[in-house]
Amino acid sequence: MSAATVTEEARQDAPEPPEAAKPRRGRGRFVPYWLLLPGLLWLIVFFALPMIYQASTSIQQGSLEDGFKVTWHFATYWDALSEYWPQFVRSVAYAACATVLCLLLGYPLAYLIAFRAGRWRNLVLILVIAPFFTSFLIRTLAWKTILADGGPVVGTLNSLHILDVTTWLGITEGHRILATPLAVVCGLTYNFLPFMILPLYTSLERIDGRLHEAAGDLYASPGTTFRKVTFPLSMPGVVSGTLLTFIPAAGDYVNADLLGSTDTRMIGNVIQTQFLRILDYPTAAALSFILMAAILAMVTFYIRRAGTEDLV
Amino acid sequence: MRWLRKNLVVIAGLLTLAYLLLPNAVVTVFSFNKPKGRFNYEWTQFSTDAWKHPCGVADMCGSLSISLQIAVWATLVSTALGTMIAFALVRYRFRARGAVNSLIFLPMAMPEVVMAASLLTLFLNMGARLGFWTILIAHIMFCLSFVVTAVKARVMSMDPRLEQAAQDLYAGPAQTFLRVTLPIAAPGIAAGALLAFALSFDDFIITNFNAGSTVTFPMFVWGSAQRGTPVQINVIGTAMFLVAVVCVVVGMAAGRRRNKPAA
Amino acid sequence: MTTSSSTATEHGGDVRLTGISKTYDNGFTAVRPLDLTVPAGSFFALLGASGCGKTTTLRMIAGLEEPTTGTVRLGDQDVTGLPPYKRPVNTVFQSYALFPHLDIFENVAFGLRRRGIKSVKKQVEEMLDLVQLGEQARKKPHQLSGGQQQRVAVARALINHPQVLLLDEPLGALDLKLRRQMQLELKRIQTEVGITFIHVTHDQEEAMTMADTVAVMNAGTVEQLGAPTDLYENPRSTFVANFLGTSNFVSCEISGRGGDELTLTAGDGKLALFADRCSAPTTTGGKLLLGVRPEKISIVHADDAASVPVGRNRLTGRIKDSSFIGVSTQYVVEGPLCDGFEVYAQNVERDPRLVPGAEVVLHWNPAHSFGLDATQDVEAGAAKVEEDAAA
């Protein structure tokens, strides 16, 4: 058949004769551990271990000059909570508002990309992701311009007397938006919106379009189709989107700092100040620990209720 | 009216899109501003000065280069380590799988402040000098989980028969990995790496806690919000946005051409 | 191929499995210890329902699965401990497993390149021509139709001139018409290259059309092995009788023997069976299952019972159901001895009286009966076929 050279080469690599009967198993048994080792070690040393250090710091007493010692002083937790509970409550409230807003704003866009965008789908997706590449701090600062006191947004809302309503609701003050809770929630919503849209889109995109037709065929109106078919099927996206928005929003301090005032300080601001300015490490560690525990508890509860555990 | 009801979702979606893009538009427009005071929040006058002298602000381009260096290293290390973990998770059975999964999930479910603060306590306790290396360590740590998730998804959807087919066709384990496994997993690895780069480059909270006196680009922006915002920040922001969009569009066009029949 | 025939790609060797078995870590035994010899150059089919161990057997030959016990020999070489990439064996995978990131040319060239062969162009082009895909060389797998992908998979394996080509349900993903076409195509290629083909399938028609020898597998063992006609005419278990086509059974007792011919009693009827077509012991007084294929039976209306020639096995019943299939009509007949008998009658001269409810007489040549051990489950293998068809 083919040239002799080919067969010459083929012979060299041809299966060698009986080195057979050698057991192949066993050699590869440790492969997964070698693969896992470096990465896991990194996470253990720089993620898990710090948590333990933090727990220990939270029950220490002392000063910067004399050093801190573990004295099992759990009162720090109580003191921290009683002093900073308003910031905790505010964090959860702002994060919850932002999450709900993200869901309300993000769902139509995710739906649009998944079902209505047609050949524009990729373009819209790029436009959702692209802002990520501009530093979020720069974009957050842009809101200072957009919501500026003399700006068109405030002007329009003022002339429509909408700001009177929001002031009455207590989320704005004195015909301005900047330095009010509204500005902070607006900033949080903006910053974490893509984290809601992308998981929503992923789960919507998996829905077979024929299901809509089938529902229509079975006498469901478009509204009913959405409530009974589309929305339930997008639940995994709703759950992970909510978590991906709520968790970072609750711990954020950038929006509260840049767009808010001293009255909108969130727990992140407190932890940051305690750690980096006041240098009261035990209190800061205790606050951080409480925040972590609270969020883990809420997330666990939420996942249980929503019944989706395959998030990872 | 009927048209309106039918297209309500489209209109709402486009409004959200506008909400998402509005700040970028403002950043772009204000990169051509010539503000009166130290802050670039109010429109004064058109000017291309900032575009002509992007590094005209003290320390800004230095911080940019530090950010880039950290992002590149964090991406390389976290992509390598994360890919290894992802393969181990999908391809092998081993003890303590559940524990490994939670250890990877937890950093993503943890508010950044908490990780930032606890990492700082570790560094303080160890007496480590805060700076480039502590930032890099922190970035690799939080990028890892995201890389694992991205690569895992891809490797999981891979048909194990492809590797068996390679082995059947005389490719040894190393050849199989290089010629088949890696090329097929590549999009997942690339996605993970891109995500890691973006996360690292843009990270502020964890960096701010663990940076010491080192200033990354986000930290420079943060500082300037207090001291005065130079127009050059907007130039960098706009340029990054444009580069990203162009890269993605070119990448997608190339991908599409590759999938078309050659002849 | 001429020079290498003495070393790597020797075609002279049989595939010999000795005492081979596979038990997985979770305790499931997919293959019980079995011996099997596949003669060199034959087209051999492993036939069975899903989960019968046929694919596991194939994968052990390929080296993708390590046998728990036993050895695999190719010719006189023991390959049991060799990894797949060192075995002179290639596989056409179920759903093809074409490399999605490589074009058709590179897919086919893969094996050659891995063996360090530099000048692959001519060989690959020849091979692509053999499977009529020369035009598609630079396309990616997902741009081809199912049938084309299937041919690429065959080409990719064959180009390495393996001693044995293993095919794992290679036609499973194709529609019926294409499958028939590819069956002939594969058969043609096998005749042309003369390599041993071992073909795993759950489709009994496919196995019978293509293979010289068929091994019917069930629950990890080989139930019966032989040429397709032999398996069909002389099944040695109810499983084989039901899995390959359809069979009707009557429970009988051996009441006498005259020369080669056994006389059987079933209720008040007498039936005849030739001893050489009986795989169970033929002592008088023993129980037997008498089997007969539906197409061997003739059906006449009870009014014409007198027209049935002497010397034929006959049973009476009533038509329960009939379905017209064009070339034939299939009847289901109920009777004291022939409950649920299926009868296929060619539509040559249709008797209009043969409608459901009609009393009929069934008769057939005693030479067409076969005898089986009465202790087996009469339904074995029958239900499995339906499950598989539904899956």
Side-chain angles (χ1 to χ4, degrees):
Chain A
M1 199 170 159
S2 39
T5 50
V6 173
T7 46
E8 274 296 318
E9 288 171 61
R11 198 189 318 182
Q12 285 172 8
D13 279 86
E16 301 130 52
E19 60 154 3
K22 180 176 76 183
R24 271 185 286 136
R25 185 166 306 203
R27 182 159 34 126
R29 200 152 24 113
F30 295 106
V31 171
Y33 299 103
W34 286 116
L35 287 173
L36 289 170
L37 192 67
L40 286 191
L41 218 54
W42 201 284
L43 284 180
I44 288 167
V45 175
F46 298 116
F47 175 75
L49 194 61
M51 294 293 160
I52 296 164
Y53 268 100
Q54 173 168 273
S56 127
T57 305
S58 69
I59 49 171
Q60 290 175 357
Q61 278 180 299
S63 66
L64 268 184
E65 294 77 36
D66 308 333
F68 293 90
K69 282 209 179 62
V70 177
T71 55
W72 303 96
H73 190 259
F74 285 104
T76 312
Y77 279 87
W78 179 246
D79 296 342
L81 257 184
S82 53
E83 190 172 351
Y84 295 112
W85 68 266
Q87 280 85 349
F88 265 113
V89 172
R90 204 177 283 145
S91 295
V92 173
Y94 287 3
C97 286
T99 307
V100 171
L101 279 174
C102 279
L103 186 59
L104 292 179
L105 292 173
Y107 209 106
L109 184 52
Y111 190 94
L112 165 76
I113 304 172
F115 299 120
R116 303 290 293 272
R119 60 206 184 90
W120 302 105
R121 178 191 277 204
N122 283 331
L123 180 73
V124 181
L125 261 182
I126 293 174
L127 288 178
V128 170
I129 300 165
F132 270 122
F133 290 92
T134 301
S135 171
F136 81 104
L137 288 168
I138 301 180
R139 287 180 285 126
T140 309
L141 285 177
W143 281 104
K144 276 194 138 164
T145 307
I146 300 167
L147 300 177
D149 293 346
V153 175
V154 171
T156 316
L157 292 180
N158 243 333
S159 57
L160 293 171
H161 296 286
I162 289 175
L163 284 188
D164 295 335
V165 178
T166 52
T167 305
W168 180 73
L169 285 170
I171 54 173
T172 57
E173 241 174 278
H175 298 287
R176 63 188 301 227
I177 296 180
L178 273 187
T180 66
L182 183 64
V184 178
V185 171
C186 172
L188 288 172
T189 308
Y190 165 75
N191 265 310
F192 301 111
L193 192 49
F195 295 97
M196 178 66 88
I197 294 174
L198 294 177
L200 277 179
Y201 162 70
T202 315
S203 63
L204 281 173
E205 192 229 348
R206 282 193 202 134
I207 300 177
D208 188 339
R210 280 171 302 182
L211 287 181
H212 295 153
E213 293 170 13
D217 182 58
L218 297 166
Y219 316 109
S221 68
T224 320
T225 303
F226 179 78
R227 272 189 295 116
K228 297 283 180 193
V229 180
T230 316
F231 190 74
L233 284 173
S234 68
M235 262 327 265
V238 174
V239 172
S240 51
T242 314
L243 291 177
L244 286 174
T245 326
F246 181 81
I247 296 170
D252 181 80
Y253 64 81
V254 172
N255 287 283
D257 197 298
L258 293 181
L259 304 175
S261 66
T262 45
D263 293 334
T264 62
R265 280 161 60 84
M266 294 167 69
I267 196 62
N269 300 73
V270 179
I271 295 176
Q272 188 243 9
T273 328
Q274 292 288 340
F275 245 117
L276 301 180
R277 301 242 182 91
I278 305 175
L279 307 180
D280 179 356
Y281 297 136
T283 305
L287 285 171
S288 161
F289 211 82
I290 296 170
L291 176 63
M292 176 182 86
I295 288 200
L296 282 185
M298 278 188 272
V299 167
T300 317
F301 178 74
Y302 178 73
I303 294 180
R304 286 270 161 78
R305 282 299 292 273
T308 323
E309 302 218 16
D310 45 23
L311 284 164
V312 210
Chain B
M1 203 51 216
R2 233 192 106 128
W3 179 90
L4 191 70
R5 204 186 313 159
K6 224 181 140 190
N7 290 294
L8 200 62
V9 65
V10 177
I11 296 166
L14 289 177
L15 283 176
T16 304
L17 195 60
Y19 178 64
L20 269 176
L21 292 173
L22 181 63
N24 279 87
V26 171
V27 169
T28 309
V29 169
F30 276 70
S31 71
F32 295 103
N33 193 12
K34 192 173 186 176
K36 265 188 245 143
R38 290 181 297 131
F39 289 96
N40 182 19
Y41 297 144
E42 265 174 70
W43 181 257
T44 319
Q45 188 192 338
F46 181 87
S47 151
T48 52
D49 289 357
W51 282 93
K52 282 181 195 142
H53 309 284
C55 281
V57 199
D59 302 334
M60 191 188 76
C61 284
S63 72
L64 200 58
S65 117
I66 289 176
S67 273
L68 279 173
Q69 284 173 46
I70 289 175
V72 167
W73 284 111
T75 303
L76 287 177
V77 178
S78 65
T79 305
L81 300 186
T83 304
M84 283 159 67
I85 294 182
F87 269 99
L89 281 175
V90 179
R91 284 305 161 78
Y92 296 92
R93 309 190 154 271
F94 49 85
R95 285 151 189 272
R97 195 188 181 78
V100 171
N101 266 323
S102 347
L103 188 58
I104 286 154
F105 173 67
L106 274 175
M108 296 190 288
M110 197 67 69
E112 265 194 89
V113 216
V114 175
M115 284 195 284
S118 59
L119 201 54
L120 178 59
T121 49
L122 175 81
F123 288 144
L124 288 175
N125 273 295
M126 296 196 320
R129 238 188 73 221
L130 298 178
F132 185 90
W133 294 103
T134 49
I135 301 175
L136 182 57
I137 286 171
H139 283 203
I140 293 171
M141 183 270 287
F142 71 72
C143 289
L144 245 180
S145 304
F146 289 94
V147 175
V148 173
T149 316
V151 179
K152 209 173 114 185
R154 178 76 189 183
V155 179
M156 245 159 52
S157 68
M158 208 174 133
D159 186 351
R161 271 177 299 215
L162 292 172
E163 280 162 321
Q164 293 168 7
Q167 296 226 335
D168 186 60
L169 295 165
Y170 312 107
Q175 288 254 27
T176 303
F177 183 76
L178 282 178
R179 304 274 172 187
V180 175
T181 315
L182 209 54
I184 297 174
I189 298 173
L194 204 67
L195 193 61
F197 186 89
L199 285 172
S200 163
F201 188 80
D202 203 20
D203 181 75
F204 171 68
I205 296 182
I206 291 182
T207 314
N208 190 31
F209 272 73
N210 295 291
S213 58
T214 307
V215 177
T216 63
F217 183 67
M219 287 175 70
F220 177 85
V221 177
W222 175 261
S224 68
Q226 261 86 43
R227 283 178 276 108
T229 48
V231 184
Q232 277 80 355
I233 288 178
N234 293 45
V235 173
I236 302 294
T238 309
M240 271 160 34
F241 180 80
L242 290 178
V243 169
V245 172
V246 168
C247 280
V248 174
V249 170
V250 168
M252 270 176 28
R256 197 169 300 167
R257 181 140 18 98
R258 222 177 318 143
N259 282 335
K260 279 216 180 99
Chain C
M1 200 139 67
T2 41
T3 50
S4 64
S5 62
S6 55
T7 55
T9 53
E10 185 164 52
H11 289 238
D14 298 348
V15 179
R16 196 165 290 128
L17 308 181
T18 316
I20 201 162
S21 76
K22 178 72 189 178
T23 303
Y24 287 99
D25 291 344
N26 60 15
F28 174 70
T29 300
V31 177
R32 294 175 198 287
L34 73 84
D35 299 316
L36 199 63
T37 300
V38 180
S42 67
F43 199 128
F44 190 92
L46 281 171
L47 173 66
S50 51
C52 72
K54 57 191 193 302
T55 295
T56 309
T57 307
L58 191 83
R59 289 168 61 85
M60 287 193 286
I61 302 173
L64 297 166
E65 210 84 70
E66 213 178 347
T68 312
T69 63
T71 57
V72 181
R73 301 181 72 87
L74 299 177
D76 41 14
Q77 188 192 2
D78 183 345
V79 298
T80 317
L82 287 183
Y85 50 91
K86 289 190 177 164
R87 295 192 187 198
V89 162
N90 291 111
T91 309
V92 175
F93 285 80
Q94 193 171 12
S95 66
Y96 324 132
L98 300 179
F99 303 122
H101 59 298
L102 301 177
D103 62 24
I104 301 311
F105 185 94
E106 286 303 322
N107 260 286
V108 175
F110 193 91
L112 297 179
R113 291 201 195 279
R114 296 294 83 73
R115 289 188 299 166
I117 298 165
K118 296 287 181 296
S119 49
V120 298
K121 195 163 184 293
K122 188 161 161 279
Q123 282 197 68
V124 173
E125 279 168 0
E126 275 174 14
M127 188 47 75
L128 283 176
D129 286 341
L130 177 74
V131 295
Q132 297 151 11
L133 282 172
E135 308 283 296
Q136 324 284 346
R138 288 299 161 194
K139 283 191 180 168
K140 287 280 177 72
H142 67 92
Q143 292 169 317
L144 301 190
S145 69
Q148 290 173 323
Q149 290 185 15
Q150 204 274 335
R151 296 210 292 267
V152 176
V154 173
R156 184 177 73 172
L158 271 184
I159 196 169
N160 303 294
H161 305 302
Q163 275 185 44
V164 183
L165 184 73
L166 307 173
L167 302 108
D168 184 5
E169 301 265 9
L171 309 176
L174 305 179
D175 63 48
L176 192 66
K177 209 170 159 192
L178 199 53
R179 196 156 24 167
R180 294 275 172 269
Q181 201 180 319
M182 287 307 301
Q183 285 171 6
L184 299 176
E185 184 88 339
L186 276 179
K187 185 77 195 164
R188 172 184 73 84
I189 293 172
Q190 197 262 339
T191 322
E192 220 171 292
V193 296
I195 292 173
T196 313
F197 276 35
I198 302 181
H199 180 131
V200 157
T201 179
H202 67 265
D203 181 340
Q204 42 111 356
E205 266 184 67
E206 187 173 301
M208 290 201 283
T209 323
M210 298 166 78
D212 314 323
T213 313
V214 177
V216 181
M217 285 190 75
N218 181 29
T221 56
V222 172
E223 285 263 341
Q224 194 175 345
L225 183 147
T229 45
D230 189 37
L231 287 179
Y232 187 79
E233 300 294 350
N234 289 313
R236 284 209 302 272
S237 66
T238 51
F239 180 87
V240 176
N242 287 323
F243 197 82
L244 285 177
T246 308
S247 296
N248 300 305
F249 292 106
V250 190
S251 299
C252 316
E253 201 183 295
I254 304 176
S255 54
R257 177 166 188 162
D260 262 357
E261 202 174 310
L262 302 171
T263 312
L264 311 172
T265 323
D268 50 1
K270 288 230 179 292
L271 299 166
L273 167 70
F274 288 100
D276 61 347
R277 295 206 56 194
C278 182
S279 60
T282 53
T283 42
T284 310
K287 299 255 185 224
L288 266 189
L289 280 177
L290 179 137
V292 62
R293 296 288 188 180
E295 75 280 4
K296 308 281 202 255
I297 305 175
S298 305
I299 184 166
V300 294
H301 196 269
D303 295 350
D304 300 341
S307 70
V308 176
V310 189
R312 290 176 69 94
N313 285 334
R314 51 192 288 170
L315 294 169
T316 54
R318 176 190 295 128
I319 296 178
K320 187 182 169 195
D321 197 6
S322 86
S323 37
F324 175 75
I325 323 254
V327 64
S328 66
T329 304
Q330 303 192 354
Y331 299 97
V332 180
V333 176
E334 256 181 340
L337 296 171
C338 51
D339 193 29
F341 255 49
E342 289 201 40
V343 178
Y344 302 162
Q346 293 290 310
N347 286 328
V348 187
E349 279 149 359
R350 296 182 67 217
D351 185 341
R353 293 171 298 168
L354 297 179
V355 291
E359 298 287 338
V360 291
V361 175
L362 307 179
H363 61 96
W364 67 91
N365 183 344
H368 290 147
S369 315
F370 52 90
L372 297 176
D373 191 337
T375 55
Q376 309 172 68
D377 175 12
V378 175
E379 298 286 328
K384 286 211 173 90
V385 181
E386 280 161 35
E387 268 170 39
D388 232 47

